[in-house]
Amino acid sequence: MKKIILIFLLFNSLFAISQEHFSGISTSNRVGILNSNINPAELPNLSKKFEVNIYGMSFNVANNKIGFSDFSSDTNLETLLFTGTDPVNARINTEIMGPGFAMKWNKWGFAFTTKAHAMFDMVNVDPTIGNAITNDNLVLNTTLLNNSGNQKLSGTSYGEIGLSAGRTIYEKDNHKFSVGITLKILFPGSYSNFGLSKLDGTIVQSAGNAYLTTNSPASLNIAYSGNLAESFSNFDDYSKSIFGGLNGFSGDIGLNYQYKSVLNLGLSLRNLGSMTFKDDNNYSTNYVFTTQGNSPLDLSLFNDIDNLSDVEQILIDGGYLSKNPEKKDFSVKLPTTINAYADVKIIPKFYVTAFLQQKTNKDEANEQITASNIFSITPRVNLGFFEGYIPLTFHEISGTNVGIGFRLGGFYLGTSSMITALINDSKQGDVYLGFRWGFL
């Protein structure tokens, strides 16, 4: 269990990386496949008649506890992660764009895209529990717990193939209005979730051990499928099982208005849908968790555990769970978001873009992939072959961040947090790069 919790630190050290993918470049007025990922109604506005996506990768991490300066401090990162009384929240999200193709024809635009996703989430984790598992406390200490919400750890990997179409439905003089839709075929790879809600109890720490006693029964969801049933903390287990069988669909819909060469407005609803995990080691069980009638739960039992099936078995063997694991298929909802943006030309070659991402679902719900609320403002200079931009992002978990990026022809490289990381104690880091080729 200690390894499960510390996967956040593992990813942080591997990538030193936020949550808005391709920040800045995805709302460029050099319109391409990246724009259609945000809003399929942009397809009739493609800057070139044809575009081929060669590759694109975005690595993201955001949290509310650990800043960049903490990596050079003498303080143990485990201690920093679970300090204070605020719940621990973290988002780790990797998106890989594979081969894709887009084209425009008369008033239409079409696209074919491929993607792979891998993510890990910590949602509203009580720092007292994390501290009790990961840190030795030799001093007698008693902490009361009363958390009515759901605190969870979850990991997900899946692939998708997208088919998009957009059409201009009105165009006259300087005005243009378009609509678009994307159908995504989903290939769930692996999944794992540990969700504990309505926890009311006490943790007693003494002589390096910590014991949990509940005052009333709590609800516990344990679910796993694919490689993440074997290990939660090994990144290879995410990457090896990204594409599973075809077992899900989702969709995007969008609207776009242009006051040509001056203003570009977009609104979209993304990731409407879900996917079903089916595997030989598929399990999803809703338990009643209680220590009543048993001795307190020794949290040190989870120190060397890195998969949920072992956590589950320890709790069953100790008599803390109500029943045995249930082998069944289960569905997971995608993170549905509302996206809105406005790109305004201030003077020739200089533009400013405002972008909003608003989630529609609750992150703490079990069998729900998370999303983050984000607002960004991006000034940019577009000289045609070269484009440079500086995104200013307001992230609900990590706060305010400033990044930098550029495009040189079809190649792009950027970050939404590097400047903040260099001059301030940013709790977010990210990097992305890619190449696409537009022609005719």
Side-chain angles (χ1 to χ4, degrees):
M1 191 69 171
K2 180 175 181 177
K3 292 181 179 180
I4 294 175
I5 291 177
L6 292 182
I7 191 174
F8 168 70
L9 301 178
L10 171 76
F11 271 80
N12 222 4
S13 61
L14 282 176
F15 299 136
I17 47 185
S18 149
Q19 179 89 18
E20 181 189 350
H21 289 296
F22 306 105
S23 175
I25 192 68
S26 61
T27 51
S28 168
N29 54 5
R30 186 279 193 201
V31 179
I33 287 179
L34 285 174
N35 302 69
S36 69
N37 286 339
I38 299 294
N39 185 354
E42 288 280 7
L43 284 169
N45 305 327
L46 289 173
S47 297
K48 299 291 185 178
K49 188 173 182 179
F50 302 100
E51 180 170 288
V52 177
N53 189 74
I54 308 301
Y55 68 89
M57 296 189 298
S58 177
F59 303 101
N60 306 309
V61 167
N63 82 101
N64 66 334
K65 294 285 185 173
I66 299 176
F68 271 81
S69 65
D70 294 323
F71 287 92
S72 59
S73 71
D74 295 330
T75 307
N76 190 297
L77 292 181
E78 299 170 21
T79 301
L80 290 172
L81 186 63
F82 299 113
T83 56
T85 58
D86 291 337
V88 180
N89 284 280
R91 303 286 186 271
I92 303 161
N93 201 313
T94 302
E95 181 177 303
I96 301 173
M97 293 185 60
F101 176 76
M103 63 171 290
K104 62 180 180 180
W105 176 72
N106 292 333
K107 295 183 178 182
W108 287 89
F110 303 95
F112 167 83
T113 57
T114 57
K115 289 184 187 178
H117 303 265
M119 58 202 69
F120 177 83
D121 298 306
M122 300 178 68
V123 181
N124 296 332
V125 174
D126 192 316
T128 303
I129 298 176
N131 184 66
I133 294 175
T134 61
N135 298 310
D136 296 329
N137 190 343
L138 300 178
V139 179
L140 179 62
N141 183 41
T142 301
T143 305
L144 301 179
L145 302 173
N146 190 358
N147 191 332
S148 60
N150 190 41
Q151 44 189 316
K152 73 173 186 177
L153 306 171
S154 67
T156 313
S157 65
Y158 68 98
E160 70 174 57
I161 293 176
L163 302 173
S164 305
R167 176 178 168 81
T168 300
I169 59 175
Y170 176 83
E171 185 172 13
K172 186 176 183 181
D173 299 329
N174 292 322
H175 302 280
K176 184 179 181 181
F177 185 74
S178 304
V179 297
I181 187 170
T182 296
L183 173 64
K184 301 174 186 178
I185 306 169
L186 306 179
F187 301 85
S190 56
Y191 179 80
S192 199
N193 183 78
F194 180 95
L196 180 62
S197 62
K198 299 180 181 179
L199 179 62
D200 180 11
T202 304
I203 290 181
V204 177
Q205 300 180 72
S206 178
N209 291 322
Y211 300 91
L212 171 64
T213 301
T214 59
N215 297 326
S216 60
S219 298
L220 175 62
N221 172 261
I222 296 180
Y224 43 86
S225 177
N227 281 14
L228 291 188
E230 306 299 330
S231 174
F232 212 148
S233 59
N234 187 351
F235 180 71
D236 287 342
D237 290 320
Y238 288 78
S239 59
K240 288 178 181 178
S241 59
I242 289 180
F243 272 87
L246 196 169
N247 277 306
F249 298 92
S250 71
D252 305 342
I253 55 174
L255 307 172
N256 176 256
Y257 166 77
Q258 287 188 343
Y259 185 70
K260 295 181 182 178
S261 302
V262 176
L263 175 66
N264 185 39
L265 301 176
L267 177 67
S268 64
L269 188 61
R270 301 179 62 207
N271 294 323
L272 289 161
S274 63
M275 54 189 169
T276 300
F277 285 86
K278 298 181 178 181
D279 196 87
D280 291 338
N281 59 352
N282 238 49
Y283 287 90
S284 178
T285 312
N286 291 314
Y287 292 105
V288 174
F289 167 69
T290 181
T291 65
Q292 297 171 6
N294 299 286
S295 59
L297 174 61
D298 183 359
L299 297 179
S300 67
L301 294 173
F302 306 111
N303 280 355
D304 297 319
I305 302 300
D306 67 349
N307 66 80
L308 288 186
S309 59
D310 285 350
V311 172
E312 192 173 38
Q313 194 60 52
I314 289 173
L315 294 174
I316 291 173
D317 291 343
Y320 302 110
L321 299 183
S322 58
K323 54 186 176 182
N324 291 322
E326 295 178 351
K327 186 177 180 65
K328 62 181 180 180
D329 300 335
F330 56 89
S331 295
V332 176
K333 294 181 181 178
L334 265 64
T336 304
T337 60
I338 299 171
N339 297 265
Y341 56 89
D343 184 67
V344 183
K345 182 170 76 173
I346 306 301
I347 58 175
K349 310 297 184 182
F350 180 71
Y351 303 80
V352 174
T353 303
F355 171 82
L356 173 69
Q357 176 177 289
Q358 176 67 48
K359 61 189 175 187
T360 62
N361 300 322
K362 294 182 178 181
D363 290 336
E364 62 267 22
N366 291 316
E367 299 178 355
Q368 170 67 62
I369 300 176
T370 68
S372 295
N373 294 328
I374 299 169
F375 177 71
S376 64
I377 299 175
T378 306
R380 74 179 73 248
V381 174
N382 191 340
L383 304 179
F385 189 76
F386 173 81
E387 180 177 359
Y389 46 90
I390 300 178
L392 169 64
T393 305
F394 305 92
H395 193 285
E396 71 166 315
I397 294 176
S398 60
T400 302
N401 296 276
V402 181
I404 190 169
F406 73 91
R407 173 184 60 82
L408 190 64
F411 174 78
Y412 55 88
L413 173 66
T415 168
S416 64
S417 61
M418 185 57 67
I419 292 178
T420 314
L422 293 174
I423 65 176
N424 198 0
D425 190 19
S426 174
K427 292 181 175 63
Q428 173 174 312
D430 68 287
V431 62
Y432 63 81
L433 77 161
F435 181 77
R436 66 264 175 87
W437 177 43
F439 56 97
L440 298 184

